[in-house]
Amino acid sequence: MQLELLEVQRRVQGRIPIPHLEVSTDIVTRHQANALPILRFEHIPLELSDLRLVVRQTADIMRRFEALDDADYQQVQHLGRDMTLVEVIGRWYRAGAEKHAAPVSARVAPEPPGETGILDQVLTLAMRPFLSRCAEVLQQRSELAIWTHSHCALCGGEPDFSVITPAAERHLICGRCALRWKFEPLTCPYCRNSDRSRITSFATTDGQYRVYACDVCSRYLKSYDGRRAARPVMPVVDTIATLPLDAAAQQRGYSG
Ligand SMILES: [Zn+2]
Ligand SMILES: [Zn+2]
């Protein structure tokens, strides 16, 4: 299923123009100070017909693999035709982007609720080509090194994979846009626990992949160990290749 979804995303992503993203030391420093991600929803190069297509195709594939039940499928299909699609996506995006931002006194309106459960999954998949395109721009910029938060500098998403570089740094990989950024190797990105005695780590027998599990918040993050690897990390492929590690982590009482 993941490979079919990836194919849909690749096809759409190739058509998306390179977005204009204003990045400078000043801008990143300011966003870093407020923990506020850089990309505003209005600046995502959304093309409505492509967006509709990717929402519908994502739902079709998930339905075929029984990852969506009938009611969810109907809801998503309806959403794909609905005029309010951009509004729903905008709400979903902002909820994710503002989740970890420092409170700003001027922001008096309460945050809108995020989409939950299955719809969140569909929107995450459908928006990936658009957000990844934006991430490609920021990824090239040296100013990204200013960002030290555990949520994504571009879109505010949480990391859902990571890679250990040959220099033994850990880079987190955003679950929404696939941006990679450097983060302390032994600090839990979910609760910031940095007590090493409360981080449990275990690896696959070939040493290719590793899990860092936190004994404070009980969440875990998988990692591709690039220190002795012949190829770079491939988040989609590596996420699938490590499904047995998820089972092992969950068996020990951790959640993803
Ligand atoms: Zn992101
Ligand atoms: Zn934690």
Side-chain angles (χ1 to χ4, degrees):
M1 180 173 88
Q2 258 77 9
L3 294 175
E4 285 194 32
L5 290 170
L6 186 63
E7 186 50 41
V8 168
Q9 291 170 7
R10 273 203 185 130
R11 230 177 301 145
V12 169
Q13 196 168 337
R15 289 202 293 267
I16 302 170
I18 306 252
H20 175 72
L21 191 64
E22 231 180 292
V23 179
S24 68
T25 302
D26 278 357
I27 290 172
V28 181
T29 304
R30 201 172 64 237
H31 283 263
Q32 158 72 21
N34 294 320
L36 195 64
I38 290 162
L39 181 66
R40 293 175 62 88
F41 180 69
E42 295 73 27
H43 295 154
I44 303 172
L46 273 186
E47 216 276 297
L48 193 56
S49 59
D50 274 343
L51 178 61
R52 287 212 165 107
L53 181 76
V54 71
V55 167
R56 284 202 304 264
Q57 290 185 343
T58 299
D60 284 340
I61 293 169
M62 289 175 76
R63 180 81 192 101
R64 197 143 37 78
F65 287 90
E66 296 179 349
L68 277 183
D69 67 23
D70 275 333
D72 291 333
Y73 179 71
Q74 292 305 334
Q75 193 197 352
V76 175
Q77 283 296 329
H78 178 72
L79 184 68
R81 285 189 297 264
D82 197 347
M83 291 313 289
T84 62
L85 177 60
V86 170
E87 209 177 289
V88 172
I89 298 257
R91 206 162 56 219
W92 167 86
Y93 179 77
R94 291 191 188 95
E98 291 168 8
K99 193 173 164 195
H100 302 280
V104 176
S105 54
R107 197 188 295 137
V108 285
E111 282 180 20
E115 304 301 338
T116 49
I118 199 78
L119 190 57
D120 178 59
Q121 273 182 46
V122 174
L123 296 182
T124 302
L125 289 165
M127 280 299 284
R128 185 157 295 161
F130 300 96
L131 292 178
S132 297
R133 202 71 166 145
C134 299
E136 287 169 16
V137 177
L138 183 58
Q139 193 76 69
Q140 309 300 325
R141 304 294 300 253
S142 58
E143 293 90 342
L144 181 56
I146 298 169
W147 188 263
T148 61
H149 298 285
S150 59
H151 59 282
C152 174
L154 181 79
C155 78
E158 286 190 338
D160 74 346
F161 206 80
S162 61
V163 56
I164 303 164
T165 68
E169 293 175 356
R170 183 172 62 163
H171 291 204
L172 305 180
I173 303 176
C174 176
R176 298 215 293 183
C177 74
L179 184 80
R180 299 172 203 177
W181 70 102
K182 187 180 162 183
F183 190 71
E184 299 132 66
L186 284 171
T187 298
C188 171
Y190 302 114
C191 75
R192 290 261 174 179
N193 161 41
S194 59
D195 177 356
R196 286 171 190 207
S197 69
R198 304 200 70 190
I199 299 280
T200 301
S201 171
F202 54 95
T204 49
T205 43
D206 60 3
Q208 194 77 99
Y209 300 103
R210 207 156 245 299
V211 166
Y212 294 93
C214 174
D215 294 313
V216 174
C217 70
S218 296
R219 293 189 65 182
Y220 70 91
L221 185 66
K222 295 185 291 186
S223 208
Y224 176 72
D225 195 336
R227 284 175 295 188
R228 49 198 142 177
R231 60 157 175 89
V233 62
M234 298 161 72
V236 175
V237 174
D238 290 318
T239 300
I240 300 168
T242 47
L243 289 176
L245 268 186
D246 290 286
Q250 284 159 20
Q251 219 160 40
R252 299 180 190 207
Y254 302 109
S255 64

